[in-house]
Amino acid sequence: MRLFIPESILGQAEPVEAPPALLPTPLSALKDVSSEFLAACGQNLPGEYLIDPDQLVPEIQNHDMQRLLEFHAHDARIKLYVMVIAHDQKLPEGVRLEKIASGSLLKTDACLLIYPQGEPWRTRLFVSSSIHGQVSSSFLGETIQACLQEALQTSNIHDQLRRYTIHLSTRLFWLQKALGATPAAASGKERSLKEFAAEETTARTKSHVASPAIMIWGGAGALLSGLVVLAGLRIRRSLKLRKLRRIWVLPEPETVPRLGGAFTGGGGAMIRYA
């Protein structure tokens, strides 16, 4: 009878399949986000740290991300904003991000993460110019690499976003402690957003973090090498078993008794095979 009764009636939750991981989108297939999308991002309130006009993040994960970013903003001086775009989208060239979140990014020390859903290796990181001027490029490069490595620990695209954001939040707390208690934005300089140029650490990123396409080819190569080694071991084992099963048939020559008689005693002999 249990086969015909729905799982919800039995009190058992039906298993929810995780969304499949997306393959890397070719650069030629990327398209710019629309002007309507950017206008909707500009209408976000200053306290809405997750910017997702297209509602790419499901409701439950959306609430979790909002609580995480609000918790970060409550204790951190460097506010963290996360803009989620589709996996096949990118920002237009020369886009101005000062109006994002009702212009709140220019009113305080801030960090803006542009996150293509399912493709964390294409994220772009913008920070306040006052912070960018006080931080070494090596620290920002290591931050991006560490966040990417953390996100790639799972294939679920929503877990990737959560892992990336948590690790970036932790790194921003480290950065805040290193800069000291005085807000960098209070220096009187013109406030603006400055992108951390990915080319500054391109070589180091390639040596530490492989893109999923490279990981796929590397995994295929490792699998092929493993199959070759396994085949060699099987051949070696079969040869050993063949040697163990081999039967040696040696000749049995007749020996002449030492005393020369047919019925005399003491007729011993020794046979040696070389």
Side-chain angles (χ1 to χ4, degrees), residues 88-262:
D88 59 347
Q89 291 182 333
K90 63 182 180 67
L91 292 181
E93 293 293 335
V95 62
R96 298 182 62 86
L97 302 175
E98 287 78 6
K99 296 181 180 180
I100 299 298
S102 302
S104 58
L105 297 178
L106 301 183
K107 299 178 182 178
T108 181
D109 292 334
C111 173
L112 174 63
L113 177 68
I114 310 299
Y115 188 91
Q117 191 177 42
E119 298 192 1
W121 53 90
R122 288 202 303 110
T123 55
R124 298 178 63 181
L125 185 63
F126 295 82
V127 295
S128 299
S129 57
S130 55
I131 298 177
H132 192 282
Q134 301 183 52
V135 182
S136 64
S137 299
S138 60
F139 176 84
L140 292 175
E142 292 173 0
T143 297
I144 293 179
Q145 295 170 22
C147 292
L148 178 56
Q149 289 178 347
E150 181 65 23
L152 293 179
Q153 295 297 319
T154 177
S155 60
N156 185 288
I157 59 177
H158 306 307
D159 287 343
Q160 287 177 349
L161 172 60
R162 181 180 60 85
R163 284 174 172 267
Y164 199 110
T165 305
I166 290 176
H167 204 78
L168 180 58
S169 171
T170 304
R171 291 274 178 158
L172 290 179
F173 274 108
W174 295 356
L175 176 59
Q176 173 180 319
K177 185 176 181 180
L179 293 178
T182 303
S187 58
K189 297 181 179 180
E190 182 181 358
R191 300 174 185 176
S192 61
L193 293 178
K194 188 172 182 179
E195 181 180 8
F196 170 67
E199 58 269 13
E200 296 179 8
T201 57
T202 298
R204 188 162 54 248
T205 303
K206 290 182 178 179
S207 62
H208 291 281
V209 183
S211 67
I214 298 177
M215 293 173 65
I216 292 174
W217 284 107
L223 179 59
L224 181 59
S225 301
L227 292 176
V228 172
V229 173
L230 181 60
L233 292 176
R234 289 180 64 89
I235 294 175
R236 182 179 179 184
R237 182 183 178 189
S238 62
L239 292 177
K240 286 186 176 181
L241 291 177
R242 187 176 300 176
K243 289 182 178 180
L244 292 177
R245 295 171 182 172
R246 184 174 300 174
I247 301 175
W248 295 90
V249 180
L250 302 176
E252 297 183 2
E254 265 191 58
T255 58
V256 180
R258 294 177 60 188
L259 300 180

